[in-house]
Amino acid sequence: MRTIYMLGNWKMNQSLSDINSFSEELAVAWTNMPKIAQCGIAPQAMHLSLLREKLPTDLMVGAQTCSEHLSGAFTGELSPEALSELNMSFTLVGHSERRHLYGETDGQINAKIKTALTKNLRVIFCIGEQLEEREAGNTESVLKTQITNGLKDIKPSTHIVIAYEPVWAIGTGKTATPEMAQETHAYVRSVLKEIGFDADSTSILYGGSVKPDNVEGLLKCKDIDGGLVGGASLKAKDFLALCYAANNA
Ligand code: PGA
């Protein structure tokens, strides 16, 4: 049995008043939520502690990225040590916006994963191909390179969560069909197996325009173990619907 996750990635969104109304609306419904899946939210960095205070304790709060260093002269960076001191549960690493807008390399991503693990943060390692790469038939080789470089020199017994997010499906409203996503997830699992990880117990989440109306079809696929959701996680009503679906998966 693999853990099912439903994680919201708020990116650089949500004002203080949005956060207040989200937490109030969520609190009312949360008590009746079956608690089987691991649900959580990654807000922008300055809202991490506030969210930890406002959200129910069994809803995880985590970061959208972290530094590969624990401390030092790295202006603007986010220390995994500080995240762990603030009781954050997880960190995303290698999100496509970090890779493509901020030039994060596989090497840096590998270093970030290693550093986050030293502080016992759960790592959600994001991978995904761009549209040109899929159209050129290179999806598998791109993903294999991202996985092998990102997990280089990491003990295969380490517990890592993977988030497969085709870049062309992020924020575009275009979701991979469940069949497409399943095929790619099965491939990702085969690569994990090949490099010695316990692939059968590794949760592989799907991300890219996941919404309440397409989540069930995705979660039915045997190799899809949850979702990483941007836009549809911003409204409490939609996030709750996604969490219900994950708990019923
Ligand atoms: P989206 O974003 O759900 O808005 O497509 C997903 C993500 O970037 O993690």
Side-chain angles (χ1 to χ4, degrees), residues 9 11 95 97 165 169-172 207-210 228-232:
N9 172 13
K11 310 192 180 184
H95 187 276
E97 283 146 24
E165 302 196 294
I170 296 180
T172 58
S209 299
V210 175
L228 177 57
V229 187

Side-chain angles (χ1 to χ4, degrees), residues 224-241:
I224 300 186
D225 310 307
L228 177 57
V229 187
S233 69
L234 296 171
K235 296 265 176 284
K237 185 169 163 279
D238 290 345
F239 182 67
L240 283 161

Side-chain angles (χ1 to χ4, degrees), residues 25 61-62 64 74 137 143 147 167 170 174 198 234 243:
E25 199 180 328
V61 178
Q64 298 173 7
F74 303 103
L143 295 177
I147 297 168
V167 180
I170 296 180
K174 283 189 215 160
D198 184 357
L234 296 171
C243 294

